[in-house]
Amino acid sequence: MTAAASPVPALDRIRVGSAPDSWGVWFPDDEQQVPWQRFLDEVAEAGYSWIELGPYGYLPTDPARLTEETTRRGLTVSAGTVFTSLHRGPDVWDATWAHVSQVAELTQAMNAKHLVVIPSFWRDDKTAEIIEPAELTAEQWRHLSTGMERLGREVRERYGLEIVVHPHADTHIDTEENVARFLDATDSGLVNLCLDTGHYAYCGGDSVKLIETYGERIGYLHLKQVDPEILADVVKNGVPFGPAVQRGVMCEPPNGVPALGPVLTAAQKLDVDLFAIVEQDMYPCPPDQPFPIAERTRRFLRSCGA
């Protein structure tokens, strides 16, 4: 007689969602992307109740229309996303704020509480051309940290939102060393982290270790895995992120790393409510590819207790 399997602990502090990114959406408008109506239909049918806005302009930007479209599908917005290049100093603030305020206004109108902040790429995100050095100077690090603190303060005061900065491949906040440097240089009362498990693994980081070390700074999660074999070739040959995605470096859970069960368990132990938004980068992709993956991923996450 075999012992009964132990029940999977309920991860009751984790709120699972998905995003346009998991449907191959990287840009507000692109002929290779599925229409926004199809994304909303399929993300709801796949079993998710929370979504992100994705690139500003992909989903309707009129709050009344977007509320109508999401509500009738049983969907609620968890966050908006902005892109910044604050390491370039005060001269970029006005242009940055023009972009941020536009996204923050819609995010606030949708009753979401987070703004995911992605640092600018040092490669062009379409052509992969190197457009600036991969390493920051000491002065640029100061601009980055003080700029993010200012952004956190302004976004909270004007829109009641919390910023969560997203370490990302081919940006200056990427490796364990650079993520730690950024966190140590910024005020936890103003700036916290969106830990993307796939991007952090892509750049050599250990998500469980980060959660256990900087738990008070983890404000949001993106769930993603990398294929270790493809990643090894990408690292060996210096393949840019965009082409790496086209090779399938970001893969369907649970086929890659890191193991998401331990990550979610570590996050649950923080004893705070956290969004965990599935993001499987696969731009561009056939229009029929995302939905079955999204369904299978949702079932897998339920098996982990989420």
Side-chain angles (χ1 to χ4, degrees), residues 64-278:
R65 186 179 184 197
L66 184 55
T67 297
E68 178 186 352
E69 296 285 354
T70 53
T71 300
R72 69 184 181 86
R73 294 173 172 89
L75 298 170
T76 306
V77 174
S78 62
T81 301
V82 297
F83 295 84
T84 60
S85 53
L86 294 169
H87 67 286
R88 295 176 187 163
D91 289 349
V92 302
W93 176 261
D94 288 345
T96 300
W97 185 252
H99 165 60
V100 168
S101 59
Q102 195 174 42
V103 180
E105 185 174 347
L106 179 59
T107 303
Q108 179 194 47
M110 298 307 295
N111 295 313
K113 299 299 180 187
H114 294 89
L115 204 59
V116 177
V117 181
I118 300 179
S120 58
F121 290 20
W122 47 267
R123 299 188 208 252
D124 184 274
D125 56 1
K126 275 200 169 181
T127 68
E129 174 191 2
I130 295 176
I131 53 180
E132 62 183 306
E135 298 295 331
L136 297 179
T137 66
E139 181 182 36
Q140 288 174 321
W141 272 109
R142 286 194 295 273
H143 287 322
L144 177 61
S145 58
T146 58
M148 284 294 188
E149 288 178 336
R150 180 182 179 186
L151 190 69
R153 185 181 298 108
E154 296 280 351
V155 165
R156 179 186 293 167
E157 289 178 354
R158 300 195 191 195
Y159 297 101
L161 306 176
E162 299 296 324
I163 71 166
V164 282
V165 178
H166 182 323
H168 197 292
D170 286 358
T171 76
H172 299 107
I173 307 177
D174 50 2
T175 61
E176 285 190 350
E177 179 183 5
N178 284 338
V179 170
R181 181 172 181 173
F182 175 74
L183 290 175
D184 291 343
T186 50
D187 182 347
S188 62
L190 297 171
V191 179
N192 285 306
L193 211 65
C194 168
L195 168 58
D196 184 302
T197 60
H199 280 281
Y200 201 51
Y202 185 103
C203 299
D206 181 331
S207 289
V208 172
K209 177 183 173 185
L210 183 68
I211 292 170
E212 291 176 347
T213 306
Y214 286 96
E216 74 284 356
R217 304 298 298 275
I218 307 298
Y220 201 93
L221 297 173
H222 278 172
L223 301 182
K224 189 179 297 173
Q225 287 189 323
V226 296
D227 182 313
E229 291 186 6
I230 297 176
L231 180 63
D233 184 68
V234 163
V235 172
K236 178 182 177 182
N237 294 294
V239 177
F241 180 67
V245 167
Q246 293 179 32
R247 293 187 185 191
V249 71
M250 297 298 182
C251 63
E252 177 182 344
N255 301 325
V257 296
L260 295 181
V263 172
L264 291 167
T265 298
Q268 171 76 15
K269 289 178 181 177
L270 297 177
D271 203 29
V272 295
D273 291 333
L274 283 175
F275 284 107
I277 305 299
V278 176

